[in-house]
Amino acid sequence: MLNRVILIGRLTRDPELRYTPSGVAVTQFTLAVDRPFTAQGGEREADFIPIVTWRQLAETCANYLRKGRLTAVEGRIQVRNYENNEGKRVYVTEVIADNVRFLESNRDNNGGAAPREESPFGGGSGGGNRGNSSGYSRNNQDPFSDEGKPIDISDDDLPF
Amino acid sequence: MLNRVILIGRLTRDPELRYTPSGVAVTQFTLAVDRPFTAQGGEREADFIPIVTWRQLAETCANYLRKGRLTAVEGRIQVRNYENNEGKRVYVTEVIADNVRFLESNRDNNGGAAPREESPFGGGSGGGNRGNSSGYSRNNQDPFSDEGKPIDISDDDLPF
Amino acid sequence: MLNRVILIGRLTRDPELRYTPSGVAVTQFTLAVDRPFTAQGGEREADFIPIVTWRQLAETCANYLRKGRLTAVEGRIQVRNYENNEGKRVYVTEVIADNVRFLESNRDNNGGAAPREESPFGGGSGGGNRGNSSGYSRNNQDPFSDEGKPIDISDDDLPF
Amino acid sequence: MLNRVILIGRLTRDPELRYTPSGVAVTQFTLAVDRPFTAQGGEREADFIPIVTWRQLAETCANYLRKGRLTAVEGRIQVRNYENNEGKRVYVTEVIADNVRFLESNRDNNGGAAPREESPFGGGSGGGNRGNSSGYSRNNQDPFSDEGKPIDISDDDLPF
DNA sequence: TTTT
DNA sequence: TTTT
């Protein structure tokens, strides 16, 4: 009835952009969020929280977010489930984001992977392929071709 | 770095109160939270989100929450993992609540299980056993005795 | 850059529906939200927080919310300012709601004012005047005619 | 009954640390939070939201926050009121913060005022006066001496 | 000016 | 499988 999540953390890897069979953009990444207390032993732990974004927001995230970047995410908790290879039901909890804030510009943080775009509001190579950073065109790609795991993304998951 | 969740939904069952080996109260329940849109086909779906409360809040939840009650929960997302019987790593996502609001009084809603306590601020049988609804005293109980699944609760999970 | 508020409280009065000069619905009400602690002396205090809703949500709120009802509100803090009669700048802080949840149905709570509509999803008198509870038609009304204070609502305040 | 605010924005000035008559630290600052849409004319507007922190958090904020810094704030909305010089009741809305995150380290942003401390976890001059940046000792100060406006802070405002 |  |  009400379901609201706000997180600030850092990406553990570059985001992954894919497309559903019907061509809708989806980007997934994981946010490492430090816990507000230290574990016994004094080490600070983190929660690794899977984030999913759809459509235009997915393309923006794929273009501008990179591993290590401090990022704020607003969204809702969603619990999916599917049957795995052994016929067992597996539950997957993700945050479906509807608002993502880039708290570090590209200038601030240049460790990790090289940015695919020069600047958050900079040029890009123009044209219709913007946002599809896989190098495949939107029509003949197979976004899941390199995936060993069961395909767990479909148009049925579309939140709106 | 920041991790905040606010949910409003209904309990799918009565809450379960247990104690860690060192005697700390933990209560778990699941909140059914309706999604803000309807699936294709027009049915309204819900997310079933596991909630964990600790210490005094755990005892209050065990005493006053019941299946079906409309409830607000504030907390943070936590992702635990453990190795299962087949040596596979399993990830469990829960909301660790630090604030729970009972949006329906006992009077409002008397379906489901009978309340164990008469009123939210009513008597109880007094004495040291308050909040331990398992019928075991706090010292000789085995809160996990009736559990087939691997014990996935320990003092290591203590959030503060 | 990020601005999110979630409140649960009770309406101090029936909501007030008005229309901007260009015919956009706006509803205002105040939420009494109990503080999480007691003041010295032991009395529990509350914050009285002004809420504003626009368009369709404004009409729904005007139709179904009433004085005393337990209500959840999601939105953002907005700070307006205007010059008063004495030429002094006055600051007004409100929560612009984009999501409102009715936590008590009409059946639960029938003290206070009589409901203008029978049931949350019930009939109403039908037709185009739905949601305009002032009795004026949408075109020839003056929503501010009965107001002594400076007109502090205009199309400029439109949030989207 | 539930009152939660999360903001990300930038300080409009250096924070102001004061002490109540009984010696409790209070820090006030204003956060400029960009609105999620542009006004007609295309300019992006912001809300200027007053933040209050107490005790240890007040001292930390006074030490490490500076004008212009990107900052996340978690807290609750509080509405105070007092009678002004002309006998008129004035309402003041503030966010009482219980969690503040510094999203830019001292290195990132050195515009505006010079930092009073070298680094977030750096030295300081040590000793009991830490956090009292007014230059007054905690006992003989008058935290309101340089204030023309009515004293609007007192131990009565203490949130816990 | 305030709600239960 | 994890980020600074």
Side-chain angles (χ1 to χ4, degrees):
Chain A
M1 212 173 171
L2 190 148
N3 181 338
R4 203 77 206 156
V5 178
I6 297 175
L7 304 171
I8 300 179
R10 293 182 186 277
L11 273 80
T12 60
R13 300 159 142 252
D14 284 7
E16 280 188 63
L17 173 65
R18 297 174 186 181
Y19 290 87
T20 65
S22 70
V24 181
V26 208
T27 294
Q28 304 190 272
F29 55 89
T30 296
L31 218 57
V33 182
D34 287 338
R35 294 193 180 160
F37 51 90
T38 50
Q40 71 272 55
E43 340 81 69
R44 185 161 294 274
E45 293 177 312
D47 291 290
F48 297 94
I49 303 174
I51 314 292
V52 178
T53 61
W54 288 90
R55 302 177 191 277
Q56 175 55 46
L57 184 55
E59 308 221 325
T60 310
C61 287
N63 277 335
Y64 302 127
L65 286 179
R66 288 295 169 275
K67 180 181 175 177
R69 294 278 167 78
L70 191 67
T71 304
V73 163
E74 232 190 311
R76 36 177 272 275
I77 299 180
Q78 183 163 98
V79 184
R80 291 187 288 120
N81 65 78
Y82 66 93
E83 206 161 296
N84 70 4
N85 309 344
E86 296 102 48
K88 234 183 80 182
R89 194 138 294 272
V90 179
Y91 291 85
V92 180
T93 304
E94 297 157 322
V95 170
I96 311 301
D98 49 46
N99 189 14
V100 175
R101 294 287 152 186
F102 309 154
L103 304 177
E104 287 175 344
S105 67
N106 283 358
R107 290 191 46 252
D108 292 340
N109 179 317
N110 261 324
R116 291 169 211 161
E117 303 268 339
E118 304 270 316
S119 101
F121 302 101
S125 54
N129 202 27
R130 197 146 200 282
N132 182 345
S133 59
S134 69
Y136 291 99
S137 87
R138 190 169 151 142
N139 289 319
N140 68 355
Q141 61 167 338
D142 177 2
F144 306 109
S145 55
D146 50 357
E147 278 287 293
K149 354 170 204 160
I151 295 172
D152 59 2
I153 188 175
S154 87
D155 291 349
D156 297 5
D157 291 321
L158 274 172
F160 314 112
Chain B
M1 213 172 170
L2 190 147
N3 183 336
R4 203 74 205 159
V5 178
I6 297 177
L7 304 171
I8 300 180
R10 293 184 185 276
L11 274 80
T12 61
R13 303 159 138 251
D14 284 8
E16 281 188 63
L17 173 66
R18 297 175 185 179
Y19 290 87
T20 64
S22 70
V24 181
V26 209
T27 293
Q28 305 190 271
F29 56 90
T30 295
L31 219 57
V33 183
D34 286 338
R35 294 195 180 158
F37 53 89
T38 49
Q40 72 270 58
E43 339 82 67
R44 184 162 293 274
E45 296 176 311
D47 291 290
F48 296 93
I49 302 173
I51 313 291
V52 177
T53 61
W54 288 90
R55 304 177 191 276
Q56 176 55 46
L57 183 56
E59 308 219 325
T60 310
C61 287
N63 277 335
Y64 302 126
L65 285 179
R66 288 296 170 274
K67 179 182 175 174
R69 295 279 168 75
L70 191 67
T71 305
V73 162
E74 233 190 312
R76 37 177 272 275
I77 299 179
Q78 184 163 96
V79 185
R80 291 188 288 120
N81 65 78
Y82 66 93
E83 206 160 298
N84 70 4
N85 308 344
E86 297 101 49
K88 233 183 80 183
R89 192 139 296 270
V90 179
Y91 291 84
V92 181
T93 304
E94 297 156 320
V95 170
I96 310 301
D98 49 47
N99 188 14
V100 175
R101 294 288 151 186
F102 310 154
L103 303 178
E104 286 175 344
S105 67
N106 284 357
R107 292 188 47 250
D108 293 339
N109 177 318
N110 260 325
R116 291 168 211 162
E117 303 267 338
E118 304 269 317
S119 99
F121 303 99
S125 55
N129 203 26
R130 196 144 201 284
N132 181 346
S133 60
S134 68
Y136 292 98
S137 85
R138 189 169 151 141
N139 289 320
N140 70 355
Q141 60 165 341
D142 178 1
F144 307 110
S145 55
D146 50 356
E147 279 288 292
K149 351 170 208 157
I151 295 172
D152 59 4
I153 188 176
S154 86
D155 291 350
D156 297 5
D157 291 320
L158 275 171
F160 314 112
Chain C
M1 214 174 171
L2 189 147
N3 183 338
R4 202 75 204 156
V5 178
I6 297 175
L7 304 170
I8 300 179
R10 292 183 186 276
L11 273 80
T12 61
R13 301 158 142 253
D14 283 8
E16 282 188 62
L17 173 67
R18 296 174 186 180
Y19 290 87
T20 65
S22 69
V24 181
V26 208
T27 293
Q28 305 190 268
F29 55 91
T30 296
L31 218 57
V33 182
D34 287 338
R35 294 193 180 161
F37 52 90
T38 50
Q40 71 271 55
E43 340 80 69
R44 183 163 295 274
E45 295 177 311
D47 291 290
F48 297 94
I49 301 173
I51 313 291
V52 178
T53 61
W54 288 90
R55 304 179 190 275
Q56 175 54 47
L57 183 56
E59 308 220 325
T60 310
C61 287
N63 277 334
Y64 301 127
L65 284 179
R66 287 296 169 274
K67 180 181 177 178
R69 295 279 167 77
L70 192 66
T71 305
V73 162
E74 232 189 311
R76 37 176 272 276
I77 299 179
Q78 184 161 99
V79 185
R80 290 188 289 121
N81 65 79
Y82 65 93
E83 206 160 298
N84 70 5
N85 309 343
E86 297 101 50
K88 233 183 78 181
R89 194 139 294 271
V90 180
Y91 290 85
V92 181
T93 304
E94 296 156 321
V95 170
I96 311 301
D98 49 47
N99 188 14
V100 175
R101 294 287 151 187
F102 310 154
L103 302 178
E104 285 175 346
S105 68
N106 283 358
R107 291 189 46 250
D108 292 340
N109 180 317
N110 261 325
R116 290 168 211 161
E117 303 268 336
E118 303 269 317
S119 98
F121 302 99
S125 56
N129 203 26
R130 196 148 200 281
N132 183 347
S133 60
S134 69
Y136 291 97
S137 86
R138 188 169 152 142
N139 290 318
N140 69 355
Q141 62 167 339
D142 177 1
F144 307 108
S145 55
D146 51 357
E147 279 287 293
K149 352 170 207 160
I151 295 173
D152 59 3
I153 187 175
S154 86
D155 291 350
D156 297 5
D157 291 321
L158 274 173
F160 314 112
Chain D
M1 213 174 171
L2 189 147
N3 182 336
R4 202 77 204 157
V5 179
I6 298 176
L7 304 171
I8 301 179
R10 293 184 184 276
L11 274 80
T12 62
R13 301 159 140 253
D14 284 8
E16 281 188 62
L17 173 66
R18 296 175 185 180
Y19 290 87
T20 65
S22 69
V24 180
V26 208
T27 293
Q28 305 190 270
F29 56 90
T30 296
L31 218 57
V33 182
D34 287 338
R35 294 194 179 159
F37 52 90
T38 50
Q40 71 270 58
E43 340 80 68
R44 184 162 293 275
E45 295 176 312
D47 291 290
F48 296 92
I49 303 173
I51 313 292
V52 178
T53 62
W54 288 90
R55 302 179 191 276
Q56 175 56 46
L57 183 56
E59 309 219 324
T60 310
C61 287
N63 277 334
Y64 302 127
L65 284 179
R66 286 299 168 272
K67 180 182 176 176
R69 295 278 167 78
L70 191 67
T71 305
V73 163
E74 233 190 310
R76 35 176 272 276
I77 298 179
Q78 183 162 98
V79 184
R80 291 188 288 121
N81 65 78
Y82 66 93
E83 205 161 295
N84 70 5
N85 308 344
E86 297 101 48
K88 232 183 80 182
R89 192 139 296 273
V90 179
Y91 291 83
V92 181
T93 304
E94 297 156 320
V95 170
I96 312 300
D98 48 46
N99 189 14
V100 175
R101 294 287 151 186
F102 310 153
L103 303 178
E104 287 175 345
S105 67
N106 283 357
R107 290 191 46 251
D108 293 340
N109 179 316
N110 261 325
R116 291 168 210 161
E117 303 268 337
E118 303 270 317
S119 99
F121 302 99
S125 56
N129 203 26
R130 197 146 199 282
N132 182 345
S133 60
S134 69
Y136 291 98
S137 87
R138 189 169 153 141
N139 290 319
N140 69 356
Q141 61 167 339
D142 178 2
F144 307 110
S145 54
D146 49 358
E147 279 288 293
K149 348 168 209 163
I151 295 173
D152 60 2
I153 188 175
S154 87
D155 291 349
D156 298 5
D157 291 320
L158 273 172
F160 315 113

Short mmCIF file of all heavy atoms in Angstrom, two decimals, chain D residues 17 19 116 129 131-142:
data_model
loop_
_atom_site.label_atom_id
_atom_site.label_comp_id
_atom_site.label_asym_id
_atom_site.label_seq_id
_atom_site.Cartn_x
_atom_site.Cartn_y
_atom_site.Cartn_z
N LEU D 17 26.56 27.07 15.05
CA LEU D 17 26.49 26.31 16.29
C LEU D 17 26.18 27.23 17.46
O LEU D 17 26.80 28.28 17.62
CB LEU D 17 27.83 25.61 16.54
CG LEU D 17 28.01 24.90 17.88
CD1 LEU D 17 27.07 23.70 18.00
CD2 LEU D 17 29.46 24.45 18.04
N TYR D 19 24.46 27.12 21.82
CA TYR D 19 24.17 26.25 22.96
C TYR D 19 22.93 26.77 23.67
O TYR D 19 22.75 27.97 23.81
CB TYR D 19 25.36 26.20 23.92
CG TYR D 19 26.53 25.46 23.34
CD1 TYR D 19 27.47 26.11 22.54
CD2 TYR D 19 26.68 24.09 23.55
CE1 TYR D 19 28.54 25.43 21.98
CE2 TYR D 19 27.76 23.40 22.99
CZ TYR D 19 28.67 24.07 22.21
OH TYR D 19 29.72 23.39 21.66
N ARG D 116 37.28 25.12 8.92
CA ARG D 116 37.88 25.36 10.24
C ARG D 116 38.69 24.17 10.73
O ARG D 116 39.48 24.26 11.63
CB ARG D 116 36.76 25.65 11.27
CG ARG D 116 36.05 26.97 11.04
CD ARG D 116 34.80 27.10 11.85
NE ARG D 116 33.82 27.94 11.15
CZ ARG D 116 32.54 27.94 11.44
NH1 ARG D 116 32.07 27.17 12.40
NH2 ARG D 116 31.71 28.70 10.77
N ASN D 129 37.06 21.73 24.27
CA ASN D 129 36.33 22.78 23.58
C ASN D 129 35.95 22.40 22.17
O ASN D 129 35.38 23.17 21.43
CB ASN D 129 37.17 24.06 23.55
CG ASN D 129 36.29 25.28 23.39
OD1 ASN D 129 35.12 25.21 23.78
ND2 ASN D 129 36.82 26.32 22.80
N GLY D 131 34.30 21.44 18.95
CA GLY D 131 32.93 21.57 18.48
C GLY D 131 32.35 22.93 18.85
O GLY D 131 31.37 23.35 18.29
N ASN D 132 32.95 23.64 19.77
CA ASN D 132 32.45 24.96 20.12
C ASN D 132 33.22 25.98 19.30
O ASN D 132 34.22 26.54 19.73
CB ASN D 132 32.65 25.20 21.62
CG ASN D 132 32.09 26.55 22.03
OD1 ASN D 132 31.81 27.40 21.18
ND2 ASN D 132 31.94 26.75 23.32
N SER D 133 32.76 26.21 18.09
CA SER D 133 33.51 27.03 17.17
C SER D 133 33.26 28.52 17.39
O SER D 133 33.77 29.34 16.66
CB SER D 133 33.17 26.65 15.74
OG SER D 133 31.79 26.85 15.54
N SER D 134 32.44 28.86 18.38
CA SER D 134 32.11 30.27 18.58
C SER D 134 33.25 31.01 19.23
O SER D 134 33.28 32.23 19.24
CB SER D 134 30.87 30.39 19.47
OG SER D 134 31.18 29.97 20.78
N GLY D 135 34.17 30.29 19.81
CA GLY D 135 35.27 30.94 20.49
C GLY D 135 34.94 31.21 21.96
O GLY D 135 35.79 31.59 22.73
N TYR D 136 33.69 31.01 22.30
CA TYR D 136 33.33 31.14 23.71
C TYR D 136 33.52 29.80 24.38
O TYR D 136 33.29 28.76 23.78
CB TYR D 136 31.85 31.52 23.87
CG TYR D 136 31.54 32.90 23.41
CD1 TYR D 136 31.00 33.11 22.15
CD2 TYR D 136 31.76 33.99 24.25
CE1 TYR D 136 30.70 34.39 21.72
CE2 TYR D 136 31.46 35.27 23.83
CZ TYR D 136 30.93 35.47 22.56
OH TYR D 136 30.63 36.72 22.15
N SER D 137 33.89 29.81 25.65
CA SER D 137 33.89 28.54 26.35
C SER D 137 32.44 28.19 26.64
O SER D 137 31.55 29.05 26.58
CB SER D 137 34.66 28.64 27.66
OG SER D 137 33.78 29.09 28.67
N ARG D 138 32.21 26.96 26.95
CA ARG D 138 30.86 26.49 27.10
C ARG D 138 30.15 27.13 28.29
O ARG D 138 28.94 27.10 28.37
CB ARG D 138 30.91 24.98 27.26
CG ARG D 138 29.59 24.34 27.21
CD ARG D 138 29.79 22.86 27.11
NE ARG D 138 28.65 22.18 27.68
CZ ARG D 138 28.14 21.08 27.16
NH1 ARG D 138 28.67 20.57 26.10
NH2 ARG D 138 27.11 20.50 27.74
N ASN D 139 30.90 27.72 29.21
CA ASN D 139 30.23 28.21 30.42
C ASN D 139 29.91 29.70 30.43
O ASN D 139 28.88 30.09 30.94
CB ASN D 139 31.06 27.84 31.65
CG ASN D 139 31.01 26.35 31.88
OD1 ASN D 139 29.95 25.75 31.73
ND2 ASN D 139 32.14 25.74 32.18
N ASN D 140 30.76 30.51 29.83
CA ASN D 140 30.48 31.93 29.93
C ASN D 140 29.95 32.56 28.64
O ASN D 140 29.88 33.76 28.52
CB ASN D 140 31.72 32.69 30.41
CG ASN D 140 32.78 32.69 29.33
OD1 ASN D 140 32.61 32.06 28.29
ND2 ASN D 140 33.87 33.39 29.58
N GLN D 141 29.65 31.75 27.69
CA GLN D 141 29.18 32.26 26.42
C GLN D 141 27.76 32.84 26.54
O GLN D 141 27.03 32.57 27.47
CB GLN D 141 29.07 31.10 25.44
CG GLN D 141 28.08 30.10 26.00
CD GLN D 141 27.66 29.07 24.99
OE1 GLN D 141 27.79 29.29 23.82
NE2 GLN D 141 27.15 27.96 25.47
N ASP D 142 27.41 33.66 25.55
CA ASP D 142 26.01 33.97 25.34
C ASP D 142 25.70 33.68 23.89
O ASP D 142 25.95 34.50 23.02
CB ASP D 142 25.71 35.44 25.65
CG ASP D 142 24.25 35.74 25.36
OD1 ASP D 142 23.52 34.80 24.96
OD2 ASP D 142 23.84 36.89 25.49
#
